[in-house]
């Protein structure tokens, strides 16, 4: 499934782009209206984009009364991104939502965080709603796999990985911070390997479906996330520059998978975790073959007068050594 990352697409302004996705994810909704952070809010860098929007939104009441009914008219499944500054605020909003998937924004780098842990917030929301709950986690977590396990135990139905990570850009002339808040959330190509690592670790740590996001600009990027363990892929920064990205990336993803002999890209999920045939295993196989060839031959020719076939004394010594230890000299 192909989605947008929250905050990277206004479906009411660009409905056709939203309809080209398998589901649309809203901007984060908070209980009260928020004007967002002071400008400047966007800064381009050589490796991606910094933003410090600050969860600007009309608030929960207006969203439910005005925006949500219009979004339902799009005819695509809706995911509502929910934010708050306490676990109770998250839970109150979740309790009011119906027929949507809820993505809990637990990791916005541009606002103060709730005092409760991610798992505590998920547990509060789980008690308040029966809707699907996806926990959106930060790549800056000390141990994202540990956090993923904790939210799974608390009742999360899935993971969204990852949110942006804090970065700083300086004005070329003044050498002062470009953003009004100095630091902001970095998205784009630089986030891609960080997202891959988080998806990789969380896939190994949990059984939850994962939405992988971070720096996806081409089909190969999407395939990498799926191979690392993502069930779905979300597009972020690329949508600002290329509204045709969803259709293009679908085509490229199918082509990238086909080149590797994979008919359905979803079949590539987790393939990066498949154990390769290691050097140690090859050494074992080579050793077994050598033993099979010499099974009925005495190791000491003097014992029976039978000579072991050899090309020369040095080759014989090398051959005996290969039987005594695995190839590559590994103990």
């Amino acid at each position: 499934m192909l989605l947008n990352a929250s905050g990277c697409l206004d479906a009411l302004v660009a409905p056709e782009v939203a309809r080209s996705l398998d589901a649309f994810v809203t901007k984060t909704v908070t209980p009260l209206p928020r004007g967002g952070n002071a400008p400047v809010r966007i800064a381009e860098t050589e490796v991606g984009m910094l933003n410090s929007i600050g969860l600007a939104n009309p608030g929960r009441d207006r969203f439910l009364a005005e925006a949500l009914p219009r979004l339902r008219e799009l005819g695509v499944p809706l995911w509502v991104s929910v934010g708050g500054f306490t676990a109770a605020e998250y839970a109150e909003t979740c309790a009011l939502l119906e027929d949507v998937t809820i993505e809990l924004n637990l990791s916005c780098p541009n606002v103060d965080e709730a005092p409760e842990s991610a798992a505590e917030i998920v547990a509060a929301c789980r008690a308040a709603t029966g809707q699907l709950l996806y926990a959106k986690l930060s790549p800056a977590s000390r141990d994202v796999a540990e956090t993923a396990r904790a939210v799974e135990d608390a009742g999360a139905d899935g993971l969204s990985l990852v949110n942006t990570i804090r970065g700083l850009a300086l004005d070329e002339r003044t050498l002062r911070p470009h953003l009004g808040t100095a630091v902001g959330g970095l998205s784009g190509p630089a986030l891609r390997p960080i997202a891959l690592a988080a998806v990789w670790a969380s896939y190994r740590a949990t059984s939850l479906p994962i939405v992988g996001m971070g720096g996806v600009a081409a089909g190969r990027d999407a395939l990498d996330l799926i191979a690392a363990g993502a069930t779905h892929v979300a597009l972020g920064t690329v949508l600002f520059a290329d509204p045709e990205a969803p259709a293009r990336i679908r085509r490229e993803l199918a082509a990238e998978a086909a080149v590797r002999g994979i008919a359905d890209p979803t079949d590539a999920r987790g393939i990066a975790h498949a154990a390769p045939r290691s050097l140690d295993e090859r050494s074992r196989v080579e050793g077994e073959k050598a033993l099979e060839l010499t099974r009925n031959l005495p190791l000491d020719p003097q014992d029976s007068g039978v000579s072991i076939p050899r090309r020369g004394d040095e080759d014989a010594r090398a051959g005996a050594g290969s039987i005594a230890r695995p190839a590559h000299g590994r103990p």
Side-chain angles (χ1 to χ4, degrees):
M1 184 162 67
L2 205 60
L3 308 87
N4 62 291
S6 175
C8 294
L9 176 65
D10 187 335
L12 298 180
V13 173
E16 292 309 311
V17 179
R19 291 190 183 101
S20 70
L21 299 165
D22 295 305
F24 171 73
V25 186
T26 71
K27 284 177 60 67
T28 297
V29 179
T30 55
L32 298 177
R34 287 182 57 83
N37 291 332
V40 173
R41 297 182 182 184
I42 299 289
E44 293 188 24
T45 76
E46 294 179 354
V47 295
M49 185 181 77
L50 286 169
N51 90 83
S52 181
I53 304 301
L55 300 184
N57 75 100
R60 179 173 62 206
D61 291 345
R62 281 190 59 194
F63 172 80
L64 293 173
E66 300 174 15
L68 186 56
R70 293 179 63 193
L71 290 171
R72 292 194 188 282
E73 295 174 2
L74 291 172
V76 297
L78 296 179
W79 290 39
V80 176
S81 176
V82 171
F85 299 94
T86 67
E89 289 186 354
Y90 278 91
E92 289 166 3
T93 302
C94 289
L96 298 173
L97 293 169
E98 297 179 354
D99 299 323
V100 297
T101 295
I102 298 171
E103 182 179 79
L104 300 174
N105 187 351
L106 305 174
S107 51
C108 178
N110 298 317
V111 297
D112 294 332
E113 296 181 356
E116 297 90 350
S117 70
E120 289 170 333
I121 294 172
V122 169
C125 295
R126 181 75 290 159
T129 183
Q131 305 297 305
L132 289 176
L133 290 176
Y134 274 66
K136 189 170 187 178
L137 304 181
S138 169
S141 170
R142 180 185 63 82
D143 186 342
V144 69
E146 179 181 345
T147 305
R149 283 191 294 267
V151 298
E152 180 180 35
D153 292 341
D157 297 297
L159 302 170
S160 291
L161 303 170
V162 291
N163 211 326
T164 56
I165 192 167
R166 282 191 178 95
L168 173 71
L170 300 182
D171 183 91
E172 183 176 352
R173 184 179 61 83
T174 66
L175 297 182
R176 299 287 297 168
H178 192 92
L179 295 177
T181 53
V183 299
L186 178 67
S187 59
L191 193 59
R192 190 181 308 136
I194 299 172
L196 277 172
V199 170
W200 167 278
S202 298
Y203 176 84
R204 298 172 76 89
T206 77
S207 60
L208 295 176
I210 298 170
V211 181
M213 66 189 82
V216 178
R220 172 58 193 275
D221 303 332
L223 184 61
D224 282 355
L225 282 168
I226 294 169
T231 317
H232 315 301
V233 174
L235 309 181
T237 305
V238 67
L239 291 173
F240 291 108
D242 182 8
E244 301 297 324
R248 173 178 59 80
I249 289 174
R250 282 186 201 278
R251 293 192 301 269
E252 293 173 354
L253 173 59
E256 292 283 354
V259 165
R260 292 161 179 80
I262 304 170
D264 185 340
T266 61
D267 292 337
R269 190 191 183 208
I271 199 171
H273 298 266
R277 192 175 184 184
S278 67
L279 288 175
D280 286 341
E281 183 179 354
R282 287 199 297 271
S283 299
R284 178 184 61 77
V285 171
E286 291 169 3
E288 288 176 352
K289 288 181 178 179
L291 286 171
E292 183 65 28
L293 288 172
T294 59
R295 187 181 300 278
N296 298 319
L297 296 177
L299 293 179
D300 186 352
Q302 295 181 352
D303 289 345
S304 62
V306 178
S307 297
I308 299 176
R310 66 190 70 185
R311 289 177 294 176
D313 291 340
E314 291 183 359
D315 286 347
R317 285 193 295 271
S322 69
I323 296 173
R325 63 180 183 277
H328 309 290
R330 296 191 178 189

